[in-house]
Amino acid sequence: MKRKKRSKEVVTDIKYVHEVRVRFNDCDPLSIVWHGIYITYFEEGREAFGRTHGISYLHVKDNNYVTPIVNSNCDHKLPLKYGDIATVETIYVDSPAAKMIFRYKVFNQNKELVCVGETTQVFLDMEGNMSLSIPEFFLNWKRKVGLL
């Protein structure tokens, strides 16, 4: 079954590529990366994206918001093993809603696709209230990177 494409979301060319070395503690007893670690690799890619493009977790926090993940998915294609160097490609998906969506592609050192995934984050103020409108600082970021 194919997933319907969300009508108002647009994959942008705003992306960042980040390398991750597979650590011993990322692996199961067979030296294969445990499936749950890929979400950590997504986070590393997302943090590197944020630092590079001016929308880091600290920037969000400085503007009195946090952005918890409310949805994540990961489709595995090939395994990574201890000692491999993976490349995480993080792509921002633009949405008119008050949320941040990122898509990920993870490749092994042979440039083979290892997994794909997506995360969705919402904006909460420091009291834990969800913002139904896009915060001003995020609108400013979208303007800065040419999305508005």
Side-chain angles (χ1 to χ4, degrees):
M1 176 183 345
K2 283 194 167 189
R3 185 173 144 184
K4 290 182 182 179
K5 187 172 183 175
R6 297 177 182 135
S7 61
K8 295 184 181 182
E9 295 168 359
V10 179
V11 177
T12 68
D13 61 354
I14 303 171
K15 67 180 177 179
Y16 188 75
V17 177
H18 179 73
E19 283 190 351
V20 175
R21 181 175 294 276
V22 174
R23 299 167 295 249
F24 177 78
N25 65 329
D26 293 348
C27 300
D28 65 16
L30 300 174
S31 296
I32 296 172
V33 172
W34 177 66
H35 66 277
I37 294 295
Y38 289 91
I39 298 296
T40 301
Y41 295 164
F42 294 173
E43 181 179 26
E44 288 184 38
R46 194 171 57 252
E47 286 182 338
F49 176 98
R51 287 188 304 270
T52 300
H53 291 290
I55 196 70
S56 70
Y57 288 141
L58 291 175
H59 183 246
V60 172
K61 186 178 176 190
D62 287 346
N63 283 277
N64 299 312
Y65 283 90
V66 294
T67 53
I69 290 179
V70 295
N71 187 44
S72 63
N73 66 62
C74 182
D75 295 322
H76 304 274
K77 311 293 183 187
L78 293 171
L80 285 172
K81 296 181 179 174
Y82 174 58
D84 285 351
I85 298 175
T87 302
V88 180
E89 182 181 277
T90 305
I91 303 163
Y92 176 73
V93 179
D94 193 29
S95 171
K99 60 184 175 180
M100 293 193 294
I101 302 169
F102 292 95
R103 292 205 179 128
Y104 311 90
K105 294 180 184 176
V106 179
F107 299 90
N108 63 21
Q109 61 262 24
N110 297 324
K111 302 192 185 318
E112 297 169 306
L113 185 63
V114 171
C115 76
V116 295
E118 182 176 294
T119 57
T120 302
Q121 296 167 262
V122 295
F123 293 94
L124 300 181
D125 65 21
M126 297 311 250
E127 287 79 43
N129 301 305
M130 187 164 68
S131 178
L132 298 179
S133 58
I134 300 173
E136 190 62 33
F137 81 93
F138 195 62
L139 286 171
N140 290 337
W141 177 79
K142 287 176 124 185
R143 285 184 195 99
K144 179 182 170 188
V145 298
L147 295 173
L148 292 179

